[in-house]
Amino acid sequence: MEVTLNGYYTLILATLVLLLGRFLIKNVKFLENFNIPEPVAGGLVAAIVVYALNFFWGYSFDFHQGLQTACMLMFFASIGLSADFSRLKAGGSPLLIFTVVVSVFIILQDTVGVVMAKAIGLDPLLGLVTGSIALTGGHGTAGAWGITLEEQYGVAGATTLGIAVATYGLVAGGIIGGPVARKLINGMGIKPSEDNPNPSEVEKLASEQSLYSTKHNEDEAHESRDMFSKPDNIRLITASSTIESLALFAGALAFAELMTMVAEGTWFEMPTFVWALAGGVILRNTLTMVFNFEMFDRAIDVIGNASLSLFLAMALLSLQLWQLTDLALPVLGILLVQTLVMVIYVYLVTFRIMGKDYDAAVLAAGHCGFGMGATPTAIANMQAVTDRYLPSRKAFLIVPMVGAFFVDIVNATVLQIFTQLPFM
């Protein structure tokens, strides 16, 4: 028996999923340690309940797709509206270099996923799901591209698989980041601060700066638009700033709808959510650079975070877990290879190109975090390293900016190119 829920009931269930996720995160240490998002924790439990209702009693649920799509587009528009290219000056050449390093890895990640998928007889588009769609992209990108692959390309189970892969990536990224950085740092002869009873003047200075570094870490992450690393932080907004921000969101979504219609059937046809991101980028940088408009970033943060949480909750409610049965073992093999590729890449490329110094080692830990999981995982990895060794202002300046929005822009571009290749 199919149960259809309108927008009101879909929203009620989505908020209940988020409240359940918050409860689980606070009470299950594993989930907290590996930075599992609240929508994922609660949503997976809800998906299991929905599966049980279907398996034992034959119930299926049809949730309101329009509300889910709107939240997805709002989330990607928020990324675009926060992509202030003038902040490139703050990061300097290391920011540009790190962005290139990350971009090359995204291409490598998708290549590995597609090649392995074809080798074991899977649809190569599923290779993209086990590549940068879910790993570098995280849950939001996995849900958005999953819907696109299912509706436009007929890839069954893409959303379910994407959410599962993104969850694996969060855990894997949190596991490998610290050990990788520790091995690199030990190779430079730097010891943990607690192993130095008579620290040198440099280490004394680093110790004195630790409190500043912690605050600098938080301030820099916020200033660099690390929107999704601390979604529960209090942000002071007003009704007028919210209204103005909603107008910007509306403009980005209108641009996305228009470009989706204009580009249909052409060489530059892209999913609507990519146009929403692009619309946000264009609006942001045109208004700030040409008209000196002051953006209300705090309001954009709040709206973007709320949209992401609701979208993920609704996406997870709609999961069909039975679609993963035949894919479990092959996909696990691909993911283990992707994890190995991530480790090798940060050793041989990220660490070396970024300077082969302590900052480069911390950047390598951060790259493991959002290369396999998400920006919050990257921040957690780097905090674990700097808490044990020395501060790294450079890493905490660069990683939030690249991980929060530059990587999404690059990832969307790379994925669009891959989907148009003839062998896909």
Side-chain angles (χ1 to χ4, degrees):
M1 185 173 67
E2 183 172 347
V3 179
T4 301
L5 295 102
N6 62 23
Y8 299 125
Y9 293 106
T10 299
L11 181 59
I12 290 171
L13 286 177
T15 53
L16 290 176
V17 165
L18 296 178
L19 292 174
L20 173 62
R22 179 177 300 177
F23 173 81
L24 292 173
I25 295 298
K26 289 182 177 179
N27 292 277
V28 180
K29 198 67 176 176
F30 171 83
L31 299 175
E32 181 180 5
N33 289 343
F34 285 101
N35 303 290
I36 303 299
E38 292 176 1
V40 176
L44 289 176
V45 173
I48 293 172
V49 172
V50 170
Y51 174 74
L53 291 173
N54 178 269
F55 183 82
F56 291 107
W57 293 283
Y59 285 98
S60 62
F61 297 87
D62 181 19
F63 297 98
H64 194 274
Q65 293 300 310
L67 183 60
Q68 179 180 329
T69 300
C71 289
M72 176 185 70
L73 295 178
M74 294 278 281
F75 160 57
F76 280 96
S78 70
I79 296 174
L81 289 169
S82 297
D84 189 346
F85 289 143
S86 66
R87 291 195 176 98
L88 284 170
K89 297 178 182 178
S93 58
L95 174 64
L96 292 174
I97 294 171
F98 189 62
T99 302
V100 172
V101 169
V102 170
S103 301
V104 172
F105 178 72
I106 289 174
I107 297 172
L108 175 62
Q109 198 172 56
D110 284 330
T111 301
V112 171
V114 170
V115 169
M116 289 201 65
K118 290 177 70 69
I120 60 180
L122 295 179
D123 189 324
L125 290 172
L126 288 179
L128 293 179
V129 177
T130 59
S132 71
I133 285 180
L135 295 178
T136 295
H139 287 88
T141 304
W145 272 101
I147 294 171
T148 300
L149 293 178
E150 289 174 351
E151 294 180 352
Q152 296 185 15
Y153 297 90
V155 182
T159 302
T160 306
L161 178 63
I163 297 297
V165 172
T167 303
Y168 167 89
L170 277 177
V171 177
I175 290 175
I176 66 176
V180 165
R182 183 165 59 249
K183 184 170 180 60
L184 292 171
I185 292 169
N186 290 341
M188 291 180 276
I190 300 176
K191 297 180 180 179
S193 56
E194 64 267 22
D195 293 341
N196 294 284
N198 297 305
S200 65
E201 291 301 316
V202 174
E203 289 166 328
K204 283 181 180 179
L205 178 61
S207 177
E208 291 169 0
Q209 290 178 335
S210 61
L211 290 176
Y212 165 77
S213 177
T214 300
K215 184 179 186 304
H216 173 85
N217 168 10
E218 296 174 357
D219 292 345
E220 202 65 74
H222 181 71
E223 292 299 325
S224 301
R225 312 316 315 137
D226 184 18
M227 297 167 54
F228 307 110
S229 65
K230 295 183 181 297
D232 290 330
N233 275 6
I234 295 175
R235 292 166 171 82
L236 302 178
I237 63 175
T238 64
S240 60
S241 67
T242 303
I243 291 171
E244 290 188 24
S245 298
L246 286 172
L248 294 174
F249 275 93
L253 267 59
F255 173 84
E257 184 180 38
L258 175 63
M259 290 305 301
T260 299
M261 292 187 295
V262 171
E264 186 175 2
T266 67
W267 63 271
F268 60 95
E269 181 179 2
M270 294 189 293
T272 304
F273 69 87
V274 178
W275 286 120
L277 190 154
V281 171
I282 294 170
L283 269 176
R284 168 83 193 210
N285 292 280
T286 300
L287 290 174
T288 56
M289 294 181 183
V290 179
F291 300 100
N292 293 320
F293 181 77
E294 182 179 355
M295 303 291 289
F296 294 97
D297 288 319
R298 293 189 296 272
I300 293 171
D301 285 359
V302 170
I303 296 170
N305 278 303
S307 299
L308 173 61
S309 295
L310 289 170
F311 163 62
L312 287 177
M314 286 181 275
L316 286 159
L317 278 170
S318 304
L319 287 185
Q320 296 178 329
L321 294 177
W322 53 88
Q323 293 179 344
L324 289 179
T325 305
D326 297 330
L327 295 174
L329 288 179
V331 166
L332 180 60
I334 297 176
L335 293 178
L336 292 175
V337 172
Q338 291 282 28
T339 305
L340 179 62
V341 169
M342 178 84 257
V343 172
I344 294 173
Y345 189 86
V346 295
Y347 265 113
L348 300 181
V349 180
T350 305
F351 176 68
R352 295 175 183 273
I353 290 182
M354 295 310 298
K356 294 191 295 185
D357 55 11
Y358 175 76
D359 287 324
V362 180
L363 282 168
H367 192 188
C368 287
F370 70 76
M372 291 294 293
T375 305
T377 309
I379 299 297
N381 283 353
M382 296 193 302
Q383 286 176 336
V385 174
T386 55
D387 285 348
R388 183 168 173 78
Y389 293 94
L390 303 172
S392 177
R393 295 177 61 186
K394 178 180 178 181
F396 280 107
L397 172 64
I398 292 175
V399 168
M401 282 196 285
V402 175
F405 48 79
F406 288 125
V407 70
D408 289 290
I409 297 171
V410 173
N411 196 21
T413 304
V414 171
L415 287 169
Q416 184 61 28
I417 293 172
F418 262 88
T419 56
Q420 302 304 314
L421 294 176
F423 56 81
M424 297 297 290

